[in-house]
Each structure stands twice: as C-alpha cells, then as structure tokens.
Amino acid sequence: AQALESYRLAAKIAAQTGPQKLESLATVDEAKLEEKAGDTTSALELYQRALVLDESIHDQSASAEDWFAYGRFLQSSHFPPRLVYACLVKSTMLQGSVPDSAERQFLENASRQAGTEAAAIRRDPEPFLQAALQLRP
C-alpha cells in the first residue's frame, strides 16, 4: 500500500512539474504493482497511460520497454493473443531486436498463439496496437 501511494505521489508531482518521462516511469511501476496485487482494471489503465506518455515525449527506449511489459501483462491477464503479439512486435520494432533469449522465446510463443493473424500483425501492427490501447476490462 505504501509503495502504491509513493508511485501515485511521484506521478502526481511529475505531472505537475512537467517531466513526463518521470511520470511515465512512475506510472508503469505502479501498473506493475497493481498487476501483482490482482487489480487488472487499474493496471490496464496505468499501462495505457504510460504508453501514451511515452509517445508524447518520443522516448523510443522507454516505449519499447513499456510495450513489452504491456504485452506480458495482456498475456497474463488472458487478453487476445493477437494484441499481445502486436505489443511485442512494436517493442521489437522500437528496439531493433529482441535482446535476450527469454524475451525471444516469449515473442515466438506469442507469434504461434496469434496464429494466422501473426503475419498481418508483423506487416502492420498499428490497428492491433490501437485496439490494445482501447481495451477495457
């Protein structure tokens, strides 16, 4: 509870003072805590907020990390595999590669689970990403 309050305070301070990168970092960290606490609704909204912030500040590195984290969250929360895979594809596009074997394995599994839609997602992930950002619990 104290950690959540600290993240909320950090995000609020960042929002008031302008450093959106700090706000994004605090928001995604809070999302991870909410996810661990089992609050899918709050986690979903927080991940989406962090991704919007990343986009607004054009931070490719943070965006890549956050898209990957969002994909993992969607997978563990049983959202459609096509949306999970789209998040991972976006992360990989921003990074230029998948850095380690565990992430590469996760990406390959997500591709298999996306099935016949995987090729379309690789060609143009944007419609799937927009759907992932519009998800509601």
Side-chain angles (χ1 to χ4, degrees):
Q2 287 179 331
L4 283 174
E5 189 57 36
S6 294
Y7 286 124
R8 288 183 185 130
L9 181 60
K12 182 178 178 182
I13 291 169
Q16 292 172 347
T17 59
Q20 291 176 312
K21 184 169 181 139
L22 177 61
E23 183 181 357
S24 173
L25 179 62
T27 301
V28 83
D29 285 345
E30 183 181 352
K32 290 175 183 178
L33 281 175
E34 293 289 6
E35 179 182 357
K36 286 180 183 176
D39 188 346
T40 302
T41 301
S42 292
L44 180 68
E45 292 169 354
L46 289 163
Y47 276 116
Q48 291 170 344
R49 171 80 177 132
L51 289 164
V52 169
L53 286 167
D54 293 342
E55 181 69 25
S56 73
I57 59 174
H58 310 289
D59 187 334
Q60 281 194 320
S61 177
S63 187
E65 290 177 25
D66 293 349
W67 277 111
F68 203 90
Y70 188 47
R72 283 191 183 274
F73 163 74
L74 293 178
Q75 191 269 340
S76 69
S77 299
H78 309 289
F79 283 96
R82 68 184 177 280
L83 301 182
V84 172
Y85 185 59
C87 293
L88 303 180
V89 167
K90 177 70 171 186
S91 174
T92 303
M93 290 169 64
L94 291 168
Q95 292 180 64
S97 66
V98 178
D100 66 35
S101 62
E103 290 179 352
R104 192 172 13 265
Q105 184 64 43
F106 186 64
L107 179 65
E108 290 168 5
N109 288 340
S111 175
R112 279 192 292 279
Q113 290 176 355
T116 58
E117 292 178 294
I121 293 167
R122 284 189 300 274
R123 277 191 307 276
D124 183 15
E126 286 306 314
F128 300 94
L129 297 171
Q130 290 307 310
L133 288 173
Q134 300 302 315
L135 285 172
R136 298 295 172 250

